[in-house]
Amino acid sequence: LQNAELGKRAPRWIRDNEVTMCMKCKEPFNALTRRRHHCRACGHVVCWKCSDYKAHLEYDGNKLNKVCKDCYHVIIGCTDSEEKKKKGILEIESAEVSGNSVICSFLQYMEKSKPWQKAWCVIPKQEALVLYMYGAPQDVKALATIPLLGYTVDDTPRSADLPHSFKLTQSKSVHSFAADNEELKQKWLKVIHLAVKGET
Ligand SMILES: [Zn+2]
Ligand SMILES: [Zn+2]
């Protein structure tokens, strides 16, 4: 079985009499202290020491099975990286993107007719066309992201808007932001004006 197939398909079962030694540590088997065990993932015959691991095997309805050390690490390693892949775009830690950002600060944020709320806003260096919004600077998951490309920037607030505010509009979606002061607003606009055109 290939590493990628471990646990997904039933292995060819190596018969007890096909080996005289543990297929992992190569210590000889004997009837008393080193008896034969099977790894349910690769089907190899191994000693108890080398098979003292358990992993969920897909071909067996994800039940916990005895597996050898090598298979354990392959299977656990695989699920780890697959879980990482399944992580959504929002599950990026704020501290991570803020530490390496083009710009980050608190802004007031309003979407459609919802009330204004304070959000920690970040445009990461590695992804300078996306605005990440967090509830707080150390949050491990973003509240929302806005892919900035193609948005129109409206930076002249009406009298009804908050001072130092600006809007991002694209077809029906409108995102309103307000900075605490004009200087901060201009900093954000400088970055956003580039991002909406796809320049970084
Ligand atoms: Zn062994
Ligand atoms: Zn194995």
Side-chain angles (χ1 to χ4, degrees):
L1 283 183
Q2 301 288 319
N3 275 358
E5 293 175 322
L6 281 176
K8 299 200 169 73
R9 289 204 288 146
R12 178 176 100 80
W13 208 247
I14 308 286
R15 283 192 301 272
D16 282 0
N17 62 7
E18 288 182 275
V19 291
T20 60
M21 61 177 78
C22 168
M23 294 172 77
K24 296 299 164 192
C25 70
K26 301 182 180 67
E27 292 290 329
F29 289 120
N30 62 58
L32 288 175
T33 56
R34 194 172 286 107
R35 294 164 59 177
R36 290 168 167 82
H37 297 268
H38 272 96
C39 167
R40 264 64 180 175
C42 66
H44 286 186
V45 187
V46 292
C47 70
W48 68 269
K49 254 192 188 169
C50 294
S51 65
D52 202 17
Y53 300 84
K54 284 201 162 78
H56 295 278
L57 301 183
E58 236 174 72
Y59 80 82
D60 191 26
N62 272 324
K63 281 202 281 269
L64 266 186
N65 274 272
K66 183 187 267 298
V67 297
C68 73
K69 195 177 177 174
D70 293 359
C71 289
Y72 176 79
H73 289 299
V74 170
I75 292 168
I76 297 300
C78 282
T79 41
D80 270 357
S81 60
E82 269 172 24
E83 265 163 30
K84 268 180 211 149
K85 270 185 242 150
K86 272 186 222 147
K87 266 191 164 186
I89 183 171
L90 296 179
E91 287 174 62
I92 293 183
E93 291 182 23
S94 172
E96 197 181 315
V97 287
S98 306
N100 195 12
S101 65
V102 183
I103 187 168
C104 61
S105 79
F106 278 109
L107 290 174
Q108 296 290 332
Y109 171 69
M110 181 178 70
E111 193 194 0
K112 289 174 195 134
S113 52
K114 289 178 194 162
W116 285 95
Q117 65 175 96
K118 199 171 162 187
W120 178 253
C121 299
V122 186
I123 295 184
K125 263 192 192 138
Q126 280 174 323
E127 217 180 340
L129 303 180
V130 181
L131 174 63
Y132 285 79
M133 284 186 284
Y134 293 90
Q138 292 295 327
D139 278 356
V140 293
K141 187 177 175 183
L143 298 169
T145 61
I146 303 174
L148 296 168
L149 193 63
Y151 271 90
T152 306
V153 188
D154 174 0
D155 59 2
T156 45
R158 312 308 166 258
S159 54
D161 295 328
L162 287 182
H164 320 301
S165 65
F166 58 93
K167 281 188 187 123
L168 298 176
T169 59
Q170 177 155 244
S171 57
K172 276 181 194 155
S173 66
V174 181
H175 305 278
S176 302
F177 297 89
D180 283 349
N181 56 62
E182 193 59 27
E183 191 194 342
L184 183 60
K185 174 185 161 179
Q186 293 307 327
K187 271 191 199 164
W188 273 98
L189 285 177
K190 210 173 138 190
V191 176
I192 288 173
H193 272 300
L194 291 174
V196 294
K197 287 182 283 180
E199 297 167 20
T200 58

